[in-house]
Amino acid sequence: MPAETFVSRLNEQIANEFAAHQQYVACAVYYDAETLPQLARFFYRQALEERDHAMMMVQYLIDADADVTIPGVAAPQTSFQDIVEPITLALEQEKRVSQQINGLAATAREASDFTSEQFTQWFIKEQVEEVATMSDLLRVVERSKHDPMEIENYMAREHSGGEGEDPTAPHPAGAE
Ligand SMILES: [Fe+2]
Ligand SMILES: [Fe+2]
């Protein structure tokens, strides 16, 4: 069994990941309504990744025979003053999640729960990528905020496909 302190923090993190999902859906819908389909597509895809993160954590708890609580989530921000703001918000969110994941790893280590500590490792690596992606994107969008088509071209060029399979990723509950 994983340490009780870890189980309770992981359940909190499941709520954080679902909240991140809702926030990215809200960002995607904002861009979709602004007719910026490439930015919308990026955030729809990003939202699905957050859902997967939550479901990976759910699967871990199920496998470990620990309690899982599927949470309600806080309402996302749905209106933005300009096309830069959703990305500023996303970068802050990713930085916050990085701290939360590090906190999870620390909780597992303090409890000498090395299995759970190992489970957090993939998420630590994932957060490094997500923070880097969002800070690159913020730079691009700030530079070209008066020329949204330039941003759309960048997104089509740099973020067109999915990320492809990551064989080291934990299994999300319910996934094929
Ligand atoms: Fe996440
Ligand atoms: Fe993320």
Side-chain angles (χ1 to χ4, degrees):
M1 271 291 269
E4 238 168 79
T5 48
F6 182 80
V7 170
S8 109
R9 285 206 64 164
L10 190 58
N11 271 296
E12 283 169 28
Q13 193 57 32
I14 290 170
N16 294 334
E17 300 291 337
F18 277 125
H21 167 267
Q22 294 291 91
Q23 185 58 68
Y24 285 160
V25 170
C27 295
V29 167
Y30 165 80
Y31 287 125
D32 225 347
E34 294 285 323
T35 321
L36 294 167
Q38 297 294 339
L39 278 164
R41 195 159 66 122
F42 172 79
F43 275 99
Y44 284 127
R45 202 190 304 128
Q46 219 50 44
L48 288 177
E49 280 190 22
E50 300 304 344
R51 181 192 180 278
D52 276 351
H53 295 165
M55 296 305 267
M56 288 167 185
M57 294 170 184
V58 168
Q59 183 72 61
Y60 180 77
L61 291 173
I62 292 172
D63 287 345
D65 233 344
D67 287 338
V68 194
T69 315
I70 300 304
V73 299
Q77 182 176 333
T78 53
S79 60
F80 304 96
Q81 40 181 321
D82 58 30
I83 64 170
V84 179
E85 199 189 1
I87 296 161
T88 310
L89 186 98
L91 177 58
E92 279 164 16
Q93 176 170 286
E94 292 301 342
K95 286 180 175 169
R96 196 167 58 240
V97 170
S98 295
Q99 286 180 340
Q100 290 161 348
I101 299 286
N102 287 341
L104 267 174
T107 302
R109 185 173 294 188
E110 275 157 29
S112 300
D113 178 356
F114 302 114
T115 309
S116 295
E117 188 187 345
Q118 192 192 42
F119 173 71
T120 63
Q121 298 306 304
W122 182 84
F123 293 92
I124 292 172
K125 171 182 72 84
E126 174 74 3
Q127 281 313 119
V128 172
E129 283 170 25
E130 301 225 315
V131 169
T133 303
M134 287 302 175
S135 58
D136 285 356
L137 186 53
L138 182 58
R139 215 165 294 131
V140 169
V141 172
E142 267 174 346
R143 194 188 303 135
S144 303
K145 63 185 163 196
H146 301 299
D147 187 4
M149 289 328 287
E150 185 62 34
I151 303 169
E152 286 286 283
N153 289 337
Y154 169 84
M155 296 309 284
R157 219 167 43 236
E158 302 293 328
H159 292 284
S160 55
E163 281 178 17
E165 283 288 292
D166 174 356
T168 66
H171 183 80
E176 298 293 306

